[in-house]
Amino acid sequence: TLLRAAIDALKPDRFGQMGPAPEMAPPYRRIASRAALESAAVRFRNCAAGYVWETGADEMALYVREGDLPALIALKRDIGGWRLAEALAPENAALSDEALGDVAEEFARAGVRLGPPVRTIEDRLEELADAMNRVQAAPVTLRAALGLGQLWR
């Protein structure tokens, strides 16, 4: 089916082809050490330091946005490449839509994917394909073929 083809198209043909997290110009600064991660967690008063394993394994990249609207930005690596996974102000406060839009635009320009993880997209397509397979087509009758049965219900 078309949905199964879309699911298959999400999967890479070759493995090991993903590049490093993007280099970002100021006001962004990549967190590149455990000390910097712990410092950012204290500064932003959040649990960022708990992501040392993912960050150390290069499955996640964290950036601090300096300036009037400081933010901590997380990128996650999935089968589709680097994806914007989170962007929050200190104490995990939401950024304004304008500030979040700026962050998303700047990271998208650097090649970062926006939207849900590829696995979530695949799961949604699988659920839809399964639901469509459960739907039984109405039997075709002469009345249905003629479009009758809409007048008197």
Side-chain angles (χ1 to χ4, degrees):
T1 70
L2 183 59
L3 290 174
R4 300 281 179 211
I7 292 166
D8 193 53
L10 292 172
K11 300 171 185 170
D13 293 326
R14 297 181 51 113
F15 303 127
Q17 302 295 312
M18 291 188 209
E23 295 294 326
M24 298 297 292
Y28 298 97
R29 176 180 48 82
R30 182 158 181 200
I31 296 174
S33 70
R34 189 176 80 197
L37 178 59
E38 290 169 353
S39 175
V42 169
R43 176 181 170 199
F44 282 86
R45 296 176 298 285
N46 65 24
C47 65
Y51 291 94
V52 67
W53 302 113
E54 292 91 339
T55 305
D58 207 27
E59 295 170 5
M60 178 183 279
L62 298 171
Y63 298 80
V64 172
R65 179 182 177 180
E66 303 291 358
D68 294 339
L69 299 169
L72 189 60
I73 292 98
L75 306 183
K76 288 279 290 181
R77 184 193 295 261
D78 72 9
I79 202 164
W82 289 101
R83 178 185 75 81
L84 181 64
E86 192 58 87
L88 292 169
E91 297 182 8
N92 289 337
L95 295 172
S96 69
D97 284 351
E98 181 179 353
L100 183 57
D102 290 344
V103 168
E105 182 179 316
E106 290 160 354
F107 276 88
R109 276 199 306 264
V112 172
R113 194 170 54 76
L114 307 177
V118 171
R119 184 58 188 253
T120 299
I121 296 168
E122 179 184 23
D123 289 347
R124 290 175 184 166
L125 289 172
E126 287 281 358
E127 289 170 10
L128 184 56
D130 291 345
M132 290 178 69
N133 286 337
R134 289 190 297 270
V135 173
Q136 297 286 329
V140 178
T141 64
L142 181 56
R143 287 187 58 76
L146 294 173
L148 301 179
Q150 305 299 314
L151 182 59
W152 298 300
R153 295 186 201 205

